Amino acid sequence: MPPIAPNLVAAVDQARHWQDMMAMAELGGFTDPDGHVGVNRPCLSDLDRQARRLLLGWAEKAGLTASVDRLGNLFLRHEGTDPGLAPVLTGSHMDSQPNGGRFDGIWGVIAGFEAVRALREAGVATKRPIEVVAWTNEEGGRYAPGCMGSMAYAGFAPPETWDGVTDRDGIPFGQALKALLDSESDIPRRKLGVVEGQAPFAYVEAHIEQGPLLEARDMEIGVVTGIQGSRWFIVDIMGKSDHAGTTPLALRKDAVQDMLRAIQALNTLMHDPADVLRFTVASIEVQPNTSNSVAGLARFTIDFRHPDNAVLQARGNAIEGVIQAALRHCTARVTERFHAVPADFGALVPDAVEAAAKSQGLRHMRLPSGAFHDAQFLVPLCPTGMIFVPCRAGVSHHPSEYATPEALAAGTRVLAQVLADLANR
Ligand code: GLV
Ligand code: MN
Ligand code: MN
């Protein structure tokens, strides 16, 4: 670790950084009935476009060069003294959950931008280029699954994989992506990740913790060691719609009743006394969705996570059989639409984060991530890591999500030092 550059740490401007965060939060900002200020900024929406334009304006002023790839991943480049070297990549995502907060994702992008701006203002040259990336559709809120931009970048799935996925209004992902790219035709196109271009030298992503550990232990910086695995499924229970007042139970193929049986059986499959396993059913659609018609179709989602790949595979692979066995009158179709194995960040980036936190006198601890992140898909490509900062009560994916200006600035100072370190290796 090179000696700490005090002018670099001082160049991270807490007030300016917070102002940028709050300016971004206005794009999609809303106040919920409890008075919490949240953000609803779906990927590839007009609001997303506006947020990207705002960032592009700041980047231009700071002297960074913008480019965009065919998945809409947006890059801002700080040139290295040796431009041919593989860049250090940092960033996160700008889309939010529908009932989301002001920090999830967007902070990692603005932290990357502030860190690079600070490097430039402090006159800290780097041998390697540094690129700040805003990945397309991390949340999976409008188009499922999440992490489409980083998955395509990493060659995890072909770029056209999700073109036909529709949002609630029936608009296909491919169409919304084309509209975004058409509106950004003034931005130079770049090759798509390692599929068409060069792997980064390293990737580091800053993010709010989205859990309670750092706050509970009075820590300022989380040195993230890895990310647990996630699998997403969509389950269609197919029955028959009938008149609710006249159809005897014996003749019904009631999709809601069989969905309840299926979920009950899944709760048993996923039971974990140690409370490590995460199993969530959180989106349910019923057709025809009227109170006096038996449901002919019930569709529900499964979000299943575990840090141990053996458990992730064994229980995940058992889902379909457990559902089929639980049904009494209907049939089911189970489709897996996201599968991210647990990721281990190894030593290089976590050690750099830890060293930076230590040299800045910040209280820090190592911890894994329960949430998934784009970083997960960079692991096979290059040394990867994340920096967490505490958020209030660990709350995220909700308008009450909050991190203090001080917490964010501390994370960004660590990020700036880590970028300077990695980009001079
Ligand atoms: C990311 O938003 C996740 O659901 O973990
Ligand atoms: Mn996020
Ligand atoms: Mn999120």
Side-chain angles (χ1 to χ4, degrees):
M1 160 74 50
I4 183 169
N7 57 336
L8 169 59
V9 170
V12 171
D13 183 330
Q14 179 179 307
R16 172 176 73 178
H17 191 31
W18 184 255
Q19 229 171 44
D20 289 351
M21 287 293 298
M22 293 304 106
M24 273 296 172
E26 282 180 21
L27 299 170
F30 67 90
T31 304
D32 79 359
D34 298 319
H36 299 122
V37 184
V39 167
N40 177 9
R41 191 168 51 234
C43 80
L44 306 180
S45 63
D46 277 344
L47 289 165
D48 190 15
R49 265 197 280 279
Q50 288 171 40
R52 289 159 67 99
R53 281 289 167 194
L54 183 60
L55 177 67
L56 282 161
W58 297 341
E60 194 181 353
K61 256 195 223 146
L64 305 180
T65 313
S67 58
V68 66
D69 68 24
R70 55 200 280 213
L71 251 289
N73 298 315
L74 177 64
F75 296 79
L76 310 171
R77 182 175 173 105
H78 156 83
E79 200 50 273
T81 55
D82 191 344
L85 289 179
V88 174
L89 193 58
T90 184
S92 193
H93 59 98
M94 299 176 77
D95 62 321
S96 79
Q97 286 285 314
N99 190 43
R102 294 174 287 172
F103 303 89
D104 176 0
I106 187 65
W107 176 59
V109 176
I110 296 185
F113 170 63
E114 176 64 28
V116 167
R117 184 163 52 176
L119 271 157
R120 296 170 72 87
E121 289 176 355
V124 177
T126 61
K127 204 167 70 175
R128 294 179 180 279
I130 301 173
E131 294 189 329
V132 180
V133 59
W135 301 109
T136 296
N137 185 28
E138 189 273 350
E139 290 291 358
R142 179 180 178 193
Y143 293 107
C147 296
M148 287 181 187
S150 50
M151 283 198 280
Y153 176 96
F156 187 85
E160 46 297 317
T161 303
W162 309 282
D163 281 355
V165 174
T166 51
D167 67 4
R168 281 176 198 276
D169 299 322
I171 300 170
F173 175 79
Q175 184 183 320
L177 176 61
K178 183 175 180 307
L180 174 101
L181 291 174
D182 286 349
S183 78
E184 294 184 349
S185 59
D186 55 314
I187 302 167
R189 283 299 136 84
R190 64 185 280 140
K191 291 176 175 168
L192 176 64
V194 291
V195 187
E196 300 168 347
Q198 173 190 47
F201 174 70
Y203 177 69
V204 49
E205 177 167 349
H207 209 283
I208 58 166
E209 182 199 346
Q210 306 185 278
L213 286 182
L214 294 177
E215 187 185 70
R217 304 211 185 148
D218 195 25
M219 293 288 165
E220 295 165 294
I221 297 293
V223 180
V224 185
T225 53
I227 303 180
Q228 70 173 339
S230 305
R231 296 177 74 174
W232 279 12
F233 300 84
I234 189 149
V235 183
D236 287 312
I237 308 286
M238 290 152 307
K240 183 166 164 292
S241 183
D242 271 309
H243 194 292
T246 60
T247 316
L249 294 190
L251 295 184
R252 290 188 183 192
K253 291 184 177 176
D254 185 332
V256 162
Q257 292 300 331
D258 264 2
M259 174 182 71
L260 293 174
R261 290 183 186 98
I263 293 175
Q264 198 56 47
L266 288 170
N267 280 334
T268 305
L269 170 71
M270 298 296 182
H271 179 64
D272 174 19
D275 198 19
V276 171
L277 187 154
R278 300 282 173 260
F279 170 72
T280 307
V281 173
S283 171
I284 297 175
E285 288 166 46
V286 169
Q287 281 177 20
N289 202 13
T290 61
S291 44
N292 51 352
S293 294
V294 173
L297 178 81
R299 165 175 285 196
F300 65 95
T301 58
I302 295 173
D303 178 311
F304 163 47
R305 309 192 191 198
H306 203 281
D308 179 345
N309 198 35
V311 178
L312 191 75
Q313 298 312 319
R315 299 222 197 165
N317 294 347
I319 283 175
E320 175 152 17
V322 163
I323 291 172
Q324 300 291 3
L327 302 181
R328 237 184 252 164
H329 306 291
C330 302
T331 56
R333 185 174 50 230
V334 179
T335 313
E336 181 161 20
R337 54 179 179 171
F338 185 60
H339 191 146
V341 296
D344 180 346
F345 288 157
L348 192 133
V349 177
D351 286 354
V353 173
E354 191 168 64
K358 199 168 167 188
S359 73
Q360 293 183 31
L362 296 166
R363 297 184 300 281
H364 58 277
M365 64 180 273
R366 289 189 173 237
L367 78 174
S369 173
F372 62 71
H373 298 283
D374 294 302
Q376 205 148 351
F377 295 97
L378 274 288
V379 168
L381 311 186
C382 62
T384 295
M386 294 187 72
I387 300 168
F388 277 174
V389 295
C391 56
R392 187 172 61 200
V395 173
S396 186
H397 286 188
H398 189 269
S400 62
E401 177 184 282
Y402 185 75
T404 64
E406 294 76 18
L408 299 187
T412 302
R413 289 189 191 104
V414 169
L415 177 64
Q417 194 178 342
V418 170
L419 293 176
D421 170 9
L422 296 175
N424 279 311
R425 294 198 193 187

